[in-house]
Amino acid sequence: MRNILITGGAGFIGSHLVINFVKKYKSYHIINIDKLTYASNIKFLDEINNFKNYTFIQADICDTYKIETIFKKYKISDVIHLAAESHVDNSIENSLEFAKTNILGTINLLELSRRNWVNNKNNLFYHISTDEVFGSLDESGNFSENSKYDPHSPYSASKASSDHFVRAFYDTHKLPVIISNCSNNYGPNQHKEKLIPTVINALINKSKIPVYGNGKNVRDWLYVQDHVEAIDMIFHNGSVGETYCIGGKNEIKNIDLINLIIKEFDKRKQNKNSSIDLISYVDDRLGHDYRYAIDISKIKNELGWEPKTNINSGLRKTLNWYLND
């Protein structure tokens, strides 16, 4: 019996992961904690509310007393840590909140894991991070597990710091940890502040679609269910102390992605006139990284994982969810 604490499980990626683990692993008890901020939605988890191997607790990862109570009551054996403030624009406006949640919240979880796990052989602290900690790429090259850290926004700086603390607890306290750094996620349940939901909502409401700068910044897009499968595989088969980079192999310029969404939306709605006129170029984001791309060789070669969903298929699934929601 594994009693797995999943943080941020009512958020975008977390909700998909919690549902997957609860349904797939009946012998595991999944304890989902979420602060239920604006970016979370407990309704995402309605389908598993009556499962006996699932417990939801509203909690802040910075609340030492409450989290320690959960550790002791449920005899937590593993932590999969997803809870984080993640919107770059918000981090520019309020960096302290990002430092509190992403850095201090992570340290709190690490400390409580260290204190409560006497024999670490059967425990794991799995920290979910981002490729943004590596900074920006030019036209060539890819991020890998060996890339140097070079964060450019308060968000990525806070995630970089949390990564360093996780590694420090592995080196100092021999806490069994694994880190994964993923590319941009997309799919059902994502908050409207993110790029793809922003475009879809603008199309639905026939409002302007904001595009930063010239729209030529490049991102690698990872469909959320592919990410969940990678997390599952790393959790069960990854090597303690290692880092794994998770990418979607869907590298595309922002403006080209937006045009793909518009094309699929107009096709779905049978619009005679293109919605492309809704595109509105706005001032570029401060510290806007030019390009992200990930080399998935390590996770592919060691664990046999690679993404299944191409950008066209993933966008259709995502668009269908938002239009049917």
Side-chain angles (χ1 to χ4, degrees), residues 160-225:
S161 178
S162 67
D163 287 8
H164 292 322
F165 271 100
V166 172
R167 289 196 180 90
F169 269 69
Y170 174 68
D171 290 336
T172 304
H173 301 293
K174 309 307 177 188
L175 189 74
V177 307
I178 292 178
I179 298 173
S180 62
N181 299 86
C182 68
S183 58
N184 284 35
N185 279 232
Y186 72 105
N189 299 1
Q190 191 168 30
H191 191 268
K192 62 184 180 181
E193 69 187 0
K194 301 294 187 174
L195 176 58
I196 290 176
T198 294
V199 175
I200 294 172
N201 281 310
L203 289 167
I204 291 171
N205 297 314
K206 295 182 172 56
S207 57
K208 292 294 184 180
I209 301 168
V211 180
Y212 283 126
N214 59 16
K216 294 183 179 179
N217 299 72
V218 178
R219 298 292 180 264
D220 173 34
W221 292 92
L222 173 65
Y223 190 63
V224 65
Q225 286 294 347

Side-chain angles (χ1 to χ4, degrees), residues 96-108:
L96 283 175
E97 189 65 29
F98 280 67
K100 179 182 177 183
T101 299
N102 298 353
I103 303 173
L104 297 181
T106 300
I107 296 170
N108 192 42

Side-chain angles (χ1 to χ4, degrees), residues 115-132:
R115 292 178 201 169
N116 284 277
W117 293 345
V118 177
N119 184 346
N120 287 334
K121 290 182 179 179
N122 298 315
N123 306 115
L124 179 65
F125 189 103
Y126 179 5
H127 177 63
I128 313 295
S129 191
T130 172
D131 62 351
E132 295 189 39

Side-chain angles (χ1 to χ4, degrees), residues 51-154:
F51 279 66
K52 293 180 179 179
N53 64 327
Y54 172 64
T55 300
F56 172 76
I57 303 167
Q58 184 173 357
D60 183 344
I61 59 172
C62 294
D63 186 337
T64 302
Y65 176 78
K66 192 163 187 177
I67 304 302
E68 182 151 37
T69 300
I70 292 168
F71 260 84
K72 293 185 181 303
K73 179 178 179 179
Y74 295 100
K75 296 180 174 59
I76 299 300
S77 61
D78 307 273
V79 174
I80 304 179
H81 177 34
L82 292 106
E85 295 285 349
S86 66
H87 192 47
V88 174
D89 287 350
N90 291 347
S91 78
I92 294 170
E93 296 297 323
N94 187 4
S95 57
L96 283 175
E97 189 65 29
F98 280 67
K100 179 182 177 183
T101 299
N102 298 353
I103 303 173
L104 297 181
T106 300
I107 296 170
N108 192 42
L109 291 167
L110 288 165
E111 275 289 351
L112 291 172
S113 298
R114 179 179 71 85
R115 292 178 201 169
N116 284 277
W117 293 345
V118 177
N119 184 346
N120 287 334
K121 290 182 179 179
N122 298 315
N123 306 115
L124 179 65
F125 189 103
Y126 179 5
H127 177 63
I128 313 295
S129 191
T130 172
D131 62 351
E132 295 189 39
V133 299
F134 302 128
S136 182
L137 294 166
D138 55 22
E139 298 290 347
S140 61
N142 297 290
F143 294 136
S144 74
E145 293 78 8
N146 297 317
S147 295
K148 72 181 183 68
Y149 275 57
D150 186 25
H152 294 155
S153 72

Side-chain angles (χ1 to χ4, degrees), residues 2-21:
R2 299 180 83 157
N3 300 310
I4 304 171
L5 181 68
I6 297 182
T7 70
F12 168 40
I13 301 169
S15 59
H16 288 278
L17 180 68
V18 167
I19 291 169
N20 174 276
F21 267 54

